[in-house]
Amino acid sequence: MEEKYIYIKSYGCQMNAYDSNRIKDLFTNKGYKITKDVSKANLTILNTCHIREKAVEKVYSDIGRIDKIKKNSDMKIVVAGCVAQAEGIEIKKRSPAVDFIVGPQSYHKLPEMVNESDKILNSDFLQNEKFKNLIYNSSKLSSEFLSIQEGCDKFCSFCVVPYTRGPEFSRPVEDIIIETKKYVANGVKEIILLGQNVNAYHGRNQNGKSKDLAYLINKISEIDAVKRIRYMTSHPIDMKDSLIEVHATNPKLMPFLHLPIQSGSDKILKKMNRKHTVKDYLKIIDKIRKIRPDIAISSDFIVGFPDESDNDFDETMKFIEKVNFVIAYSFIYSPRPGTPAQYKDNIDHGLKKARLSALQSLLTEQQKKYNKSFINKDMEVLFEKKGRHEDQYIGRTIYNQSVFTTSKEKILNKILKVKIKNSTNFALECQI
Ligand code: SAH
Ligand code: SF4
Ligand code: F3S
């Protein structure tokens, strides 16, 4: 039989990357091979993201490019992911080259779907059925994403996720344990638990009892071969004391917390429907720093949200100075179809850009200072992949900083104690 190849590209968050891994597993299980060369592909899968307009535009321009290759081959194009869910049939109208459209809760049906002539599957939220029908093989060697929770019931006024991913759903504890054991049997050392609202996790155990994220982390840590556990992304209103406590009691849980706030102004938080104040957030940070003083805190920010005044933006800057983030992601507000905030995009684009740039310089300053403070210190690093240069390896500290080094020895997938020699804005350099 002739060999068949799939090419897959992820555009979105870690959960989107996790879904791409599962799609790869579904197809390799059917005898397909993975290719990084789109011109070789029989099946091209674009696993899309709807979060900001730019992410969506990128998909359409990629389709245009790939269509030129498609015209001279038997290739089929699949649009999967959150754009597929949100725009469905519209995609075919804009890009007739697309053969199949499949949302993030129905992609377990992709292998059977691609045997049909053309199809759109994006309406139901079949979370339960999906997870039962997936295949869990893929291994990145050191660190593996694992979706434990999906969807969102929070409805922040700027965000598409509740519409593209559906309502909050938590997987049963036992299924997650089984999946973890599969990965560590492949050599994986670190498990990153994923969810759009991961700390809202409330999956059932074998007795049908609802269990929280703190319980799940402790349960996973009982597996000997699991050396590191991380989780993301958390929402402030679900940051329970039980979870905070695990940061003091469980040495396998890494001292890193990604906790998006979006804005340092209560007025804007209210308009964003975030359901918490700046003070609530600071209280969480205080609590967690009390029991785990070295914890690394990261966040997300949106600038230029409707009605954001100079004063509101100032409050965000002051808030950042107060908390001191080790890293943070920031975005210009992008009005999204179907979300309540879209109608009032009233901040001048130049001003948005100026605010983003000021905010990013402050965050980079903090990150740079933080990284610098590690020079000459001993750190534990998990080496996860080869770098671009010969004998170069890239790993992560317990605080999630990227570390690079060169070594003649094979150090891939090892946790080593190293000395930090140098720092850049975004990374550390070490000596073995
Ligand atoms: N569930 C997470 C992350 C959601 S999406 C949370 O609750 O924080 C990741 C980030 O994208 C968000 O934290 C937010 O900063 C950003 N984002 C979401 N919608 C956006 C929009 N319409 N415009 C700009 N940034 C947005
Ligand atoms: Fe989006 Fe808000 Fe839900 Fe996060 S909590 S996924 S920002 S609606
Ligand atoms: Fe994007 Fe969907 Fe993730 S919109 S950020 S891929 S949940």
Side-chain angles (χ1 to χ4, degrees), residues 35-186:
T35 177
K36 285 184 177 165
D37 174 6
V38 65
S39 68
K40 236 173 120 179
N42 306 89
L43 194 63
T44 291
I45 300 171
L46 306 178
N47 196 13
T48 61
C49 173
H50 201 244
I51 203 85
R52 284 170 292 273
E53 197 180 346
K54 262 198 192 141
V56 179
E57 285 315 311
K58 180 96 186 73
V59 175
Y60 284 108
S61 83
D62 283 354
I63 295 171
R65 197 170 42 83
I66 294 165
D67 187 30
K68 294 202 180 89
I69 304 168
K70 180 182 167 162
K71 287 204 168 83
N72 302 311
S73 70
D74 68 343
M75 181 201 286
K76 300 269 185 220
I77 298 179
V78 179
V79 172
C82 290
V83 176
Q85 187 65 36
E87 299 190 0
I89 192 99
E90 294 301 312
I91 299 171
K92 268 182 171 290
K93 281 196 194 132
R94 247 183 98 172
S95 302
V98 173
D99 300 282
F100 306 101
I101 294 167
V102 64
Q105 309 306 353
S106 352
Y107 68 78
H108 54 291
K109 296 184 175 167
L110 248 179
E112 49 184 281
M113 196 171 147
V114 298
N115 291 323
E116 298 171 30
S117 57
D118 70 339
K119 204 164 176 182
I120 297 175
L121 250 188
N122 69 333
S123 52
D124 309 321
F125 292 121
L126 306 166
Q127 284 126 323
N128 206 359
E129 186 191 316
K130 176 182 78 177
F131 282 112
K132 278 200 171 72
N133 286 288
L134 290 176
I135 290 170
Y136 306 94
N137 276 336
S138 153
S139 170
K140 282 187 272 162
L141 206 63
S142 296
S143 180
E144 192 77 52
F145 291 139
L146 202 168
S147 286
I148 63 167
Q149 182 278 337
E150 269 213 275
C152 182
D153 297 337
K154 304 284 191 296
F155 291 92
C156 300
S157 61
F158 53 81
C159 182
V160 294
V161 171
Y163 313 98
T164 61
R165 292 271 168 171
E168 275 178 20
F169 168 83
S170 296
R171 296 175 65 193
V173 173
E174 194 54 25
D175 292 8
I176 295 164
I177 298 293
I178 292 169
E179 191 176 335
T180 303
K181 285 182 175 162
K182 270 200 150 172
Y183 295 148
V184 294
N186 284 346

Side-chain angles (χ1 to χ4, degrees), residues 18 37 50 63 152 162 181 188 205 207 218 238 257 263 317 336 356 368 373 428:
Y18 173 87
D37 174 6
H50 201 244
I63 295 171
C152 182
K181 285 182 175 162
V188 169
N205 71 358
N207 303 325
N218 285 330
D238 293 314
L257 173 64
S263 167
M317 294 292 274
R336 305 305 296 130
L356 184 71
K368 192 167 141 187
S373 74
L428 301 173

Side-chain angles (χ1 to χ4, degrees), residues 280-345:
D280 297 332
Y281 187 98
L282 291 172
K283 248 193 222 155
I284 297 167
I285 302 300
D286 268 357
K287 258 193 207 166
I288 201 158
R289 280 188 171 150
K290 238 178 221 130
I291 59 151
R292 184 77 211 218
D294 64 332
I295 190 143
I297 311 284
S298 93
S299 200
D300 291 348
F301 294 91
I302 294 176
V303 300
F305 188 79
D307 295 338
E308 184 188 62
S309 65
D310 286 342
N311 189 43
D312 295 318
F313 180 67
D314 264 5
E315 285 184 13
T316 300
M317 294 292 274
K318 288 204 180 96
F319 166 83
I320 293 172
E321 270 163 21
K322 196 178 226 166
V323 177
N324 218 338
F325 292 97
V326 303
I327 189 169
Y329 305 90
S330 45
F331 314 95
I332 285 180
Y333 170 66
S334 169
R336 305 305 296 130
T339 62
Q342 66 174 310
Y343 302 106
K344 209 176 165 192
D345 183 24

Side-chain angles (χ1 to χ4, degrees), residues 381-421:
V381 173
L382 168 59
F383 287 95
E384 297 176 356
K385 56 183 178 198
K386 297 273 296 197
R388 251 182 296 150
H389 306 290
E390 211 187 307
D391 296 330
Q392 192 185 44
Y393 292 89
I394 296 170
R396 285 196 181 273
T397 67
I398 57 173
Y399 306 112
N400 213 32
Q401 295 145 298
S402 186
V403 186
F404 59 94
T405 193
T406 43
S407 165
K408 288 280 172 209
E409 276 170 62
K410 290 195 166 57
I411 57 171
L412 210 57
N413 203 21
K414 285 192 178 148
I415 296 176
L416 298 176
K417 206 166 217 151
V418 303
K419 195 172 255 343
I420 304 302
K421 284 284 154 201

